[in-house]
Structure formats: C-alpha cells, structure tokens
Amino acid sequence: MIVNDSNNFIVLFASIKKKIYKILNEKIKDYDLSITEAIYLIIISERCDGISFKELTRCAECDKGMTTRVLNSLKLKNLVSEVENSKYIVVVTASGRILSRKINLLLEEFKNQLLEKVDRRELVNFYNSLSNFNDILEGEIKC
C-alpha cells in the first residue's frame, strides 16, 4: 500500500534521528551538553572570526527561538561569548574550543563505529542521497 509505505518512510527518518540523538546525547552527557548544544558549539568553533546570529541559525537549520535558547545556555556555561561592541556576532571561548575538539573526537569515533558495520562507500552514497533529499525538501519549502 502506497500510503503505508510513505508513512513508514517518514517514521524511519524520525526513528533514525531519534536514535542518533539518543546515542550521541549519551556519549556527551559527561560534558553537561545536549547534542543540539554540541552542534551549535561546533559550528561556532569552526568560525575563527565568529558567526552572526542569523548565519548560525541558518547553519544549524533551526529557528531563531532555538538559536536564542541554545546560545543562552552556551553563554551560561562560558563556552561562547558575544564579540565586544557587536551583540550579534558570537565566538567560542577557550574552554568552548577545547570542548568542541573533544566532541569532534567523539563524533569521529561514532562515525568510525558505524563504518565498522557499514561499508564506507555505502555510507557515502547514503549521505549523498540524504543531502540530495534535503536539498529537494529545501526547494519545496521555498516554493
């Protein structure tokens, strides 16, 4: 049945995201961060000169409310700060940079664990297919 297949397709995507977040949240729990906070921290740490609120929101593919909540949490944890005289540019602190590196290592380890179970080429093809699917959906949203 076509409707059932499309429902399974959507459920499968939701299930994969939920499982990945659960696994990664467990891996980083000792750092007092959620995976969402970790993603934002990594994005910010990759920008040496800082990143604007608007660009950060776009890169994280979240809404302004989520970006505000996550930034407030990261600021309270002294992992990011705003550039002086520019309240819209965010930079990573020294402790945030150290933590970002640790989290990147955990993410790399997780990827390697997946690669032990799935052929690298298969994983790359899967990633490319997901990226293509994401681009198609992004085009649908802009219509």
Side-chain angles (χ1 to χ4, degrees), residues 86-100:
S86 177
K87 66 179 185 174
Y88 298 111
I89 303 294
V90 182
V91 292
V92 69
T93 63
S95 57
R97 186 163 310 284
I98 291 167
L99 185 54
S100 174

Side-chain angles (χ1 to χ4, degrees), residues 21 28 33-47 51-75 79-80 90-92 96 100 103 107:
Y21 271 48
I28 65 171
L33 282 183
S34 70
I35 188 59
T36 304
E37 290 170 323
I39 290 167
Y40 273 83
L41 182 63
I42 290 168
I43 293 168
I44 297 165
S45 70
E46 290 174 346
R47 307 295 174 98
I51 187 169
S52 71
F53 180 90
K54 183 176 182 178
E55 181 69 6
L56 178 58
T57 301
R58 188 189 66 72
C59 288
E61 295 198 22
C62 290
D63 59 40
K64 293 176 190 176
M66 175 63 81
T67 300
T68 299
R69 286 189 296 280
V70 171
L71 281 179
N72 287 338
S73 177
L74 293 174
K75 287 177 193 174
L79 299 173
V80 301
V90 182
V91 292
V92 69
S100 174
I103 292 169
L107 295 178

Side-chain angles (χ1 to χ4, degrees), residues 15-133:
S15 176
I16 291 169
K17 179 183 176 187
K18 181 180 176 184
K19 288 174 185 166
I20 288 174
Y21 271 48
K22 182 177 182 177
I23 291 167
L24 293 177
N25 274 318
E26 182 64 29
K27 289 184 178 293
I28 65 171
K29 73 178 180 183
D30 292 340
Y31 298 114
D32 189 32
L33 282 183
S34 70
I35 188 59
T36 304
E37 290 170 323
I39 290 167
Y40 273 83
L41 182 63
I42 290 168
I43 293 168
I44 297 165
S45 70
E46 290 174 346
R47 307 295 174 98
C48 296
D49 297 331
I51 187 169
S52 71
F53 180 90
K54 183 176 182 178
E55 181 69 6
L56 178 58
T57 301
R58 188 189 66 72
C59 288
E61 295 198 22
C62 290
D63 59 40
K64 293 176 190 176
M66 175 63 81
T67 300
T68 299
R69 286 189 296 280
V70 171
L71 281 179
N72 287 338
S73 177
L74 293 174
K75 287 177 193 174
L76 284 173
K77 295 174 183 180
N78 195 34
L79 299 173
V80 301
S81 64
E82 293 173 346
V83 171
E84 198 170 314
N85 300 324
S86 177
K87 66 179 185 174
Y88 298 111
I89 303 294
V90 182
V91 292
V92 69
T93 63
S95 57
R97 186 163 310 284
I98 291 167
L99 185 54
S100 174
R101 287 183 187 133
K102 289 178 182 179
I103 292 169
N104 269 322
L105 289 174
L106 286 173
L107 295 178
E108 187 68 25
E109 180 184 297
F110 178 65
K111 181 180 84 174
N112 289 334
Q113 288 172 352
L114 287 177
L115 287 173
E116 289 174 5
K117 298 173 180 151
V118 178
D119 179 70
R120 179 176 291 279
R121 186 176 21 195
E122 190 176 329
L123 191 60
V124 167
N125 288 337
F126 180 64
Y127 177 83
N128 289 337
S129 295
L130 287 176
S131 292
N132 185 39
F133 189 74

